[in-house]
Amino acid sequence: MSEGGRPASEGYTEKNTVQAALVQLLVDAGWAYIPGKELPRTTSQVFIESDLRGAIEELNPSLVDRTDAVLSDLRRSALTAADEGLMAANQTFTRLLRGGGTVMMPDTNHDEPYEVFDYARPEQNSFVVSDEVTYQGARFDVVLFVNGIPVVVGETKTPVSTAVTWKAGAKDIYTSYEVHQPVFFTPNLLSFATDGKEFRYAGVRTPLEHWHRWGSSDASATIEGWERVKMSVAGLLSPRVILNLIEHYAMFDAQDADGAVRTIKLLPRYFQYEAVEKIVARATSENSSRGLIYHTQGSGKTLTMSWVAARLYFDPQMQNPTIVAIADRTQLVTQTFAQFASAGVPVVLHEMRGVPGVKTDAHHTDGLAELVCSNSFRSDDWQFNAVGLLHAEMRTLDSVIMSAADANQVPAGGALAVDREGFSQAVTERLEAHPLI
């Protein structure tokens, strides 16, 4: 028997389902196994309330007799997904998981903050993996609970034909569970799907084409199949990594697409996570020295630097550092600072004109991101032109610049021409409206 109480498994075989083998991997990674039918909760409850109550009392000794009020606040926040939408509710609950919740103290009439996770001492938290977890008519293959809060949901598929892949599990989550049982996904950090050969993960409301693989720069890039799945589980779903992702990485970015603002959830890919962790370790070590991270085009370098900035800014060892980002294009500077702000880092944007009121011959307004020519973006042909391909990649990365350009496009054949004043105004309004810039 394994330490978590589940029969030991040698891995996925035709006789041993993917789900059973995956649960064993999670037990090996540090999660305690409890079958879904044995969890101390009803099928209408999101939380394991006994675990959550114990964590609240342990982490908040000063909140005397206010445990029920904290539980009520968490329950109420979870239920908002039904009315406000899953993404908005998930963003709010992520703030609560990071210690952003408060409860009124009747003796002082003041709000006091509360914690639900112990980030400083990860081993003090309760980590439970359960299978066949039911909630309001749905049954989830695998759920990971931290202090009684479901932060990861997984769907497994044991392939009986080439048509059954990880996509079937991801589709169940995206098109069914998140739609019909959104309240259970309000506290969700990420979901995953696997068929024993592939492993993919994503945040809430992420279309299937944006579910990513996990890996390791220390392992061979040719590792595939069950070995790749095992590497993904050990690297992504370990208790410490899950807590780290909740505390530092889950990010929400508001995008303006054709005048309609929508929010997406951003999680790092494995090479971004590794880069951030190594940079932070180097910067906070006593023997710190300079370093170099090499990014390929389209690798999400702006997001990586945003996570680095957030980690360093909020790290007490850094004593409120000043972080300087330098770029060679106005559009890239604007995009970088927007991403920094999305990561929670207060940003001071220094305009290139320097002294207020002083303009170059190329500037005609006080707006940001002025263009010299309406055709400055050049070709928008992503199939046969490198500039057009860059536009497509920037749109994929939800560029502030590209959304402003698309919203102010004027007819120009195969070129991306824009109304210059409208474009500048759109970028300026987007940045001025951000509370952290």
Side-chain angles (χ1 to χ4, degrees):
M1 297 288 289
S2 70
E3 184 177 343
R6 189 172 187 82
S9 167
E10 295 300 323
Y12 158 60
T13 66
E14 288 299 324
K15 294 183 179 180
N16 179 30
T17 66
V18 172
Q19 182 174 309
L22 186 94
V23 169
Q24 183 57 48
L25 290 179
L26 290 163
V27 170
D28 294 340
W31 300 85
Y33 172 67
I34 301 177
K37 61 184 179 181
E38 297 180 14
L39 290 174
R41 57 177 287 278
T42 69
T43 59
S44 63
Q45 289 180 311
V46 174
F47 311 123
I48 304 174
E49 298 216 350
S50 56
D51 287 2
L52 184 52
R53 177 180 291 276
I56 294 170
E57 293 175 347
E58 177 69 23
L59 293 170
N60 306 277
S62 63
L63 301 183
V64 181
D65 299 326
R66 297 300 286 162
T67 300
D68 287 336
V70 174
L71 276 170
S72 295
D73 189 47
L74 294 170
R75 292 192 204 103
R76 184 168 54 252
S77 295
L79 290 171
T80 59
D83 298 320
E84 299 179 7
L86 177 55
M87 185 62 72
N90 187 253
Q91 185 172 6
T92 298
F93 209 97
T94 298
R95 179 178 58 82
L96 299 183
L97 295 180
R98 290 171 169 165
T102 60
V103 64
M104 175 69 74
M105 298 298 288
D107 54 338
T108 63
N109 227 22
H110 290 157
D111 287 333
E112 293 292 334
Y114 62 80
E115 303 280 350
V116 292
F117 292 162
D118 192 337
Y119 293 107
R121 302 174 302 164
E123 69 282 354
Q124 297 301 312
N125 298 284
S126 166
F127 299 102
V128 170
V129 54
S130 187
D131 54 5
E132 303 300 315
V133 176
T134 54
Y135 174 77
Q136 294 189 348
R139 184 174 62 186
F140 310 122
D141 289 345
V142 179
V143 179
L144 302 183
F145 295 88
V146 179
N147 291 347
I149 299 176
V151 295
V152 175
V153 173
E155 283 295 298
T156 64
K157 299 294 178 182
T158 299
V160 294
S161 71
T162 56
V164 179
T165 70
W166 67 270
K167 290 184 179 180
K171 186 177 180 181
D172 287 344
I173 293 171
Y174 179 68
T175 64
S176 180
Y177 300 150
E178 290 182 354
V179 174
H180 300 296
Q181 287 83 25
V183 173
F184 196 86
F185 287 83
T186 301
N188 183 272
L189 166 68
L190 62 86
S191 295
F192 70 85
T194 181
D195 57 5
K197 297 179 290 186
E198 282 270 9
F199 177 100
R200 301 293 179 100
Y201 70 98
V204 295
R205 306 313 301 144
T206 301
L208 268 61
E209 60 267 25
H210 295 300
W211 284 54
H212 294 305
R213 307 178 82 195
W214 192 263
S216 172
S217 60
D218 295 327
S220 170
T222 62
I223 292 179
E224 297 293 344
W226 180 243
E227 291 302 314
R228 178 85 182 210
V229 174
K230 289 197 297 183
M231 179 176 64
S232 301
V233 172
L236 175 63
L237 300 182
S238 73
R240 287 182 180 272
V241 172
I242 290 298
L243 278 182
N244 198 17
L245 290 172
I246 294 171
E247 183 180 18
H248 297 299
Y249 287 90
M251 186 190 303
F252 299 84
D253 190 27
Q255 307 166 357
D256 187 349
D258 298 326
V261 178
R262 68 184 184 95
T263 300
I264 64 169
K265 186 172 185 177
L266 301 172
L267 295 171
R269 302 178 73 173
Y270 74 89
F271 46 83
Q272 293 173 312
Y273 182 81
E274 290 181 356
V276 173
E277 292 299 307
K278 289 181 179 180
I279 290 173
V280 172
R282 177 78 63 88
T284 56
S285 67
E286 294 183 1
N287 300 318
S288 60
S289 61
R290 69 191 69 184
L292 174 68
I293 298 293
Y294 178 78
H295 297 275
T296 58
Q297 188 177 30
S299 63
K301 50 186 172 291
T302 305
L303 275 174
T304 300
M305 294 303 103
S306 299
W307 279 309
V308 169
R311 289 290 302 278
L312 295 179
Y313 184 83
F314 293 108
D315 193 317
Q317 297 181 69
M318 299 302 294
Q319 300 179 354
N320 194 24
T322 297
I323 300 167
V324 180
I326 302 174
D328 61 352
R329 287 182 289 115
T330 302
Q331 291 92 335
L332 184 56
V333 170
T334 304
Q335 180 73 11
T336 300
F337 279 99
Q339 292 288 6
F340 276 26
S342 296
V345 179
V347 169
V348 177
L349 179 58
H350 294 275
E351 220 282 339
M352 62 173 291
R353 280 165 277 194
V355 180
V358 177
K359 302 176 182 178
T360 71
D361 293 337
H363 293 101
H364 299 279
T365 74
D366 293 327
L368 300 173
E370 276 192 285
L371 297 176
V372 175
C373 174
S374 62
N375 197 31
S376 294
F377 283 95
R378 301 159 59 193
S379 174
D380 204 36
D381 184 350
W382 66 270
Q383 290 180 302
F384 301 104
N385 188 284
V387 175
L389 179 60
L390 178 60
H391 291 170
E393 291 176 344
M394 291 175 69
R395 289 187 180 101
T396 300
L397 296 172
D398 307 309
S399 164
V400 173
I401 296 298
M402 292 310 302
S403 65
D406 291 337
N408 290 277
Q409 186 174 3
V410 297
L416 175 58
V418 302
D419 179 311
R420 289 186 294 164
E421 291 187 2
F423 170 79
S424 176
Q425 182 180 357
V427 174
T428 302
E429 290 177 351
R430 177 77 176 271
L431 295 184
E432 287 180 343
H434 202 296
L436 292 177
I437 298 180

